[in-house]
Amino acid sequence: MSAAKRPLGVLLLAVLLLSGAYAGYRWQRVHAPDYALEEILHAVRTSDGGLFDTYVDRDAVLAGMHEDAAVLLADNIEELHARHPADWFFCHDAAFMRSYMAARRAADISYAGAVLDFYFHEERVPLTRADGAARWGADEVRAFAAAYRIEAQPLQQQGDTAVCTCILRGDASTYGRLLPEASLTLTLMRQTDGRWRLTRIGTDTVRAHGFFDIIDGAERYWALQGWD
């Protein structure tokens, strides 16, 4: 992977793992946020991209993930360098990180969307180099999805917003050991037709198994791929 794609891996690791990790997670009520999560589960299991987009605001989720990643990387660059001093990417300062992530925003979000497209359309044949990169990313998502399960805390609903904290747990496989545990927060918003849609997936540096654990997992992934 090129150096330019390294921060994108940080962005995608959480959102795409989560996309494929809902095995065993079922909900009941129609027109409730938990029902939306059930439909997302079904969409992922059946590779139904249309249903996925019905209950996931893909643009909002990917944009929010990139914005959060840019802020977290910049605000915590000194600690990241201390944790991973051999990684050249963390040798820069916060100003560089903000500028770098801003410059890559459109390309990173576009790539993430293409990965999702190939994830939901496994039969699609890549025609360009960019397609090939996205297809490779989708295949990696499937490999990660097979190695992770999710545990969810009860949804907390306030008005038209619902929030759910989820814990990703890796199994004993090679990919599962890369990120043994990670904590993520899902935000769903009620739409005008009564449906709920996933609009944001986030984490932070305060919680256990949050941002720094995800970065550590990404670093182990780089090493596994021979990208150090």
Side-chain angles (χ1 to χ4, degrees):
M1 174 177 283
S2 68
K5 292 287 179 64
R6 293 174 67 87
L8 178 60
V10 177
L11 165 68
L12 292 178
L13 191 57
V15 64
L16 294 180
L17 276 178
L18 189 60
S19 296
Y22 276 104
Y25 188 54
R26 300 296 296 174
W27 299 89
Q28 301 297 324
R29 294 171 295 164
V30 177
H31 295 304
D34 46 7
Y35 179 78
L37 291 177
E38 179 184 0
E39 292 298 277
I40 295 170
L41 160 65
H42 183 69
V44 169
R45 284 180 167 173
T46 60
S47 297
D48 188 336
L51 182 62
F52 183 83
D53 287 336
T54 298
Y55 288 96
V56 177
D57 187 337
R58 187 189 300 203
D59 291 340
V61 168
L62 295 180
M65 290 292 293
H66 197 277
E67 291 166 7
D68 290 349
V71 171
L72 287 166
L73 286 167
D75 288 353
N76 297 282
I77 192 63
E78 292 184 3
E79 183 162 349
L80 290 170
H81 176 62
R83 292 172 77 97
H84 303 286
D87 190 333
W88 71 270
F89 189 64
F90 299 140
C91 293
H92 298 91
D93 60 15
F96 168 86
M97 194 63 66
R98 293 188 188 97
S99 175
Y100 182 87
M101 293 296 287
R104 291 202 51 83
R105 182 180 186 277
D108 287 351
I109 292 173
S110 176
Y111 175 75
V115 169
L116 281 173
D117 287 341
F118 276 99
Y119 181 84
F120 284 111
H121 301 282
E122 189 172 3
E123 77 287 351
R124 181 179 169 191
V125 177
L127 301 177
T128 66
R129 178 180 293 184
D131 284 350
R135 174 57 185 267
W136 176 86
D139 291 342
E140 287 297 287
V141 171
R142 294 186 188 95
F144 272 109
Y148 287 83
R149 293 295 179 266
I150 190 170
E151 297 177 8
Q153 297 179 5
L155 280 158
Q156 303 295 319
Q157 182 177 339
Q158 185 171 4
D160 292 333
T161 302
V163 176
C164 178
T165 299
C166 299
I167 304 296
L168 285 170
R169 299 187 192 279
D171 62 19
S173 67
T174 298
Y175 276 31
R177 292 194 301 270
L178 294 174
L179 183 63
E181 188 170 332
S183 173
L184 301 166
T185 298
L186 281 64
T187 302
L188 298 96
M189 300 294 296
R190 179 159 35 206
Q191 309 300 297
T192 55
D193 63 0
R195 287 181 300 113
W196 290 78
R197 296 185 83 195
L198 180 66
T199 59
R200 202 168 192 97
I201 301 174
T203 191
D204 53 53
T205 61
V206 178
R207 71 182 72 190
H209 308 297
F211 174 69
F212 291 118
D213 283 53
I214 293 172
I215 292 289
D216 293 347
E219 290 289 319
R220 287 188 284 269
Y221 182 64
W222 310 144
L224 177 67
Q225 296 293 334
W227 294 335
D228 281 357

